[in-house]
Amino acid sequence: MSLRPSPRPTAHPLRYSYGTNGLTDLRLDDALSLLADLGYDGVGLTLDHMHLDPLAPDLAARTQKLARRLDELGLGVTIETGARYVLDPRRKHGPSLLDPDPAQRARRADLLVRAVQIATDLGAHAVHCFSGILPKNTAGEAGTEGHEVKAEDAAWKRLAETLTPVLDAATAAGIPLAVEPEPGHLLATLDDFHRLRTALGSPDALGLTLDIGHCQCLEPLSPADCVRAAAPWLRHVQIEDMRRGVHEHLPFGDGEIDFPPVLEALAAVGYQGLVSVELPRHSHAGPQLAQQSLPFLHHAAAVSTPPAADRPPNPGEGPTDSDGRTP
């Protein structure tokens, strides 16, 4: 397999990464070397036992070693926390932030606080997380007036309360916590993100992970319009192809998404983080898909980029370089 870097459109500001949850058959150092050789700007690092285990001994020393390697390779990083069995070998994504047992919810919160520390040590630009699925047969909880609160309302309350110490850690570290709307989860849509943000009092540390495929799957807006609507809170982006109404992460070209308008929107809103390819069920073909994905994105970005005479100045070229940009 040729590992020649994909040529980069010089006029386009976006930076691309590939998620290690799609490279689980590779040792972490091999995965990082692959991405650097292919020309990626960074990596979406999922904390899990096969790569950087957040629960194994000597975490600080292992993280420091990884920081040096990322620096050697010139790779940026986002911390992902969507590992399937990192906390419980028998429950996929369990326990979640919605678990009825406070001690179990605290385990998930502790993992996220660890993730914030790892992100700080690695110089990551965000920590990703999601809400989890509403537990089945969840009983309501007593409200302030002694009435039963619906199970869903109780779950929203748990979510806000459990995330509070994580947001405190993120605020202290200066690392955004980027919550991802996930199909089938309690927090599934952009509207749901705003419900959580409002419940928490709109803390500066709370941001959004926008998965472009999820937008195609279930949002009423187009993926490009979702980018524009999410811009003020956008802290992390995941990208893959997908079909309407079907939550299946697909390689580029296998779904229905029109990517040039999406990349144009990301550039137009001034998104500064990594755009991370998210193919967690394709690890068996991870090296090949990593090789194919970056040229696809560069081509789509080139199609979306206006001619030099028509485009706005690049950062540093003129007084409007920061207009409308997300902090």
Side-chain angles (χ1 to χ4, degrees), residues 263-322:
L263 300 180
E264 184 177 8
L266 285 168
V269 302
Y271 175 66
Q272 299 294 300
L274 293 168
V275 179
S276 193
V277 179
E278 184 81 357
L279 292 172
R281 296 188 181 275
H282 292 77
S283 192
H284 62 283
Q288 292 75 28
L289 287 170
Q291 185 180 25
Q292 296 165 13
S293 295
L294 191 58
F296 180 96
L297 290 168
H298 282 167
H299 176 73
V303 170
S304 72
T305 303
D310 299 330
R311 66 178 174 84
N314 282 330
E317 289 183 349
T320 62
D321 62 282
S322 63

Side-chain angles (χ1 to χ4, degrees), residues 47-132:
L47 302 180
D48 207 348
H49 63 87
M50 74 285 290
H51 287 151
L52 185 65
D53 189 338
L55 304 179
D58 302 320
L59 177 60
R62 290 184 288 115
T63 303
Q64 185 179 43
K65 180 180 178 181
L66 176 57
R68 290 194 296 267
R69 185 60 175 151
L70 290 169
D71 187 61
E72 290 171 1
L73 295 173
L75 294 173
V77 60
T78 305
I79 299 301
E80 305 261 4
T81 62
R84 295 183 180 95
Y85 296 99
V86 66
L87 288 176
D88 189 326
R90 301 188 182 192
R91 285 192 295 164
K92 182 180 177 182
H93 298 310
S96 79
L97 294 166
L98 308 178
D99 197 291
D101 184 345
Q104 294 298 310
R105 295 198 298 274
R107 292 180 62 206
R108 177 61 62 173
D110 175 70
L111 176 67
L112 296 179
V113 170
R114 286 172 180 252
V116 170
Q117 183 59 57
I118 292 169
T120 303
D121 294 342
L122 295 180
H125 75 82
V127 171
H128 149 276
C129 72
F130 46 54
S131 69

Side-chain angles (χ1 to χ4, degrees), residues 8-322:
R8 173 185 300 282
T10 56
H12 212 281
L14 298 180
R15 299 184 301 135
Y16 302 107
S17 65
Y18 199 95
T20 60
N21 62 0
L23 296 169
T24 56
D25 293 297
L26 277 66
R27 297 177 181 88
L28 179 56
D29 192 65
D30 291 339
L32 298 178
S33 297
L34 171 74
L35 298 181
D37 287 345
L38 290 174
Y40 282 89
D41 301 289
V43 58
L45 177 63
T46 294
L47 302 180
D48 207 348
H49 63 87
M50 74 285 290
H51 287 151
L52 185 65
D53 189 338
L55 304 179
D58 302 320
L59 177 60
R62 290 184 288 115
T63 303
Q64 185 179 43
K65 180 180 178 181
L66 176 57
R68 290 194 296 267
R69 185 60 175 151
L70 290 169
D71 187 61
E72 290 171 1
L73 295 173
L75 294 173
V77 60
T78 305
I79 299 301
E80 305 261 4
T81 62
R84 295 183 180 95
Y85 296 99
V86 66
L87 288 176
D88 189 326
R90 301 188 182 192
R91 285 192 295 164
K92 182 180 177 182
H93 298 310
S96 79
L97 294 166
L98 308 178
D99 197 291
D101 184 345
Q104 294 298 310
R105 295 198 298 274
R107 292 180 62 206
R108 177 61 62 173
D110 175 70
L111 176 67
L112 296 179
V113 170
R114 286 172 180 252
V116 170
Q117 183 59 57
I118 292 169
T120 303
D121 294 342
L122 295 180
H125 75 82
V127 171
H128 149 276
C129 72
F130 46 54
S131 69
I133 297 170
L134 182 67
K136 294 181 180 179
N137 302 320
T138 302
E141 296 177 350
T144 56
E145 299 179 2
H147 300 294
E148 280 285 297
V149 178
K150 292 181 181 178
E152 185 173 324
D153 291 337
W156 279 105
K157 183 173 181 287
R158 289 191 194 115
L159 179 62
E161 290 176 347
T162 310
L163 277 179
T164 296
V166 183
L167 286 165
D168 289 343
T171 298
I175 301 285
L177 183 69
V179 179
E180 178 188 7
E182 181 80 21
H185 283 213
L186 177 72
L187 197 157
T189 66
L190 289 174
D191 284 347
D192 291 335
F193 167 74
H194 289 300
R195 176 173 177 171
L196 175 65
R197 185 176 60 84
T198 299
L200 288 166
S202 303
D204 291 340
L206 181 65
L208 174 71
T209 292
L210 189 69
D211 187 302
I212 301 303
H214 295 173
C215 297
Q216 176 70 19
C217 179
L218 53 69
E219 293 286 353
L221 299 174
S222 71
D225 284 339
C226 286
V227 169
R228 287 183 277 269
W233 304 278
L234 198 55
R235 300 296 179 266
H236 182 41
V237 172
Q238 297 171 345
I239 194 165
E240 70 284 317
D241 218 337
M242 203 168 286
R243 300 186 184 98
R244 185 70 180 170
V246 182
H247 184 204
E248 181 182 4
H249 291 234
L250 299 172
F252 297 121
D254 288 359
E256 302 169 341
I257 297 176
D258 183 14
F259 285 96
V262 174
L263 300 180
E264 184 177 8
L266 285 168
V269 302
Y271 175 66
Q272 299 294 300
L274 293 168
V275 179
S276 193
V277 179
E278 184 81 357
L279 292 172
R281 296 188 181 275
H282 292 77
S283 192
H284 62 283
Q288 292 75 28
L289 287 170
Q291 185 180 25
Q292 296 165 13
S293 295
L294 191 58
F296 180 96
L297 290 168
H298 282 167
H299 176 73
V303 170
S304 72
T305 303
D310 299 330
R311 66 178 174 84
N314 282 330
E317 289 183 349
T320 62
D321 62 282
S322 63

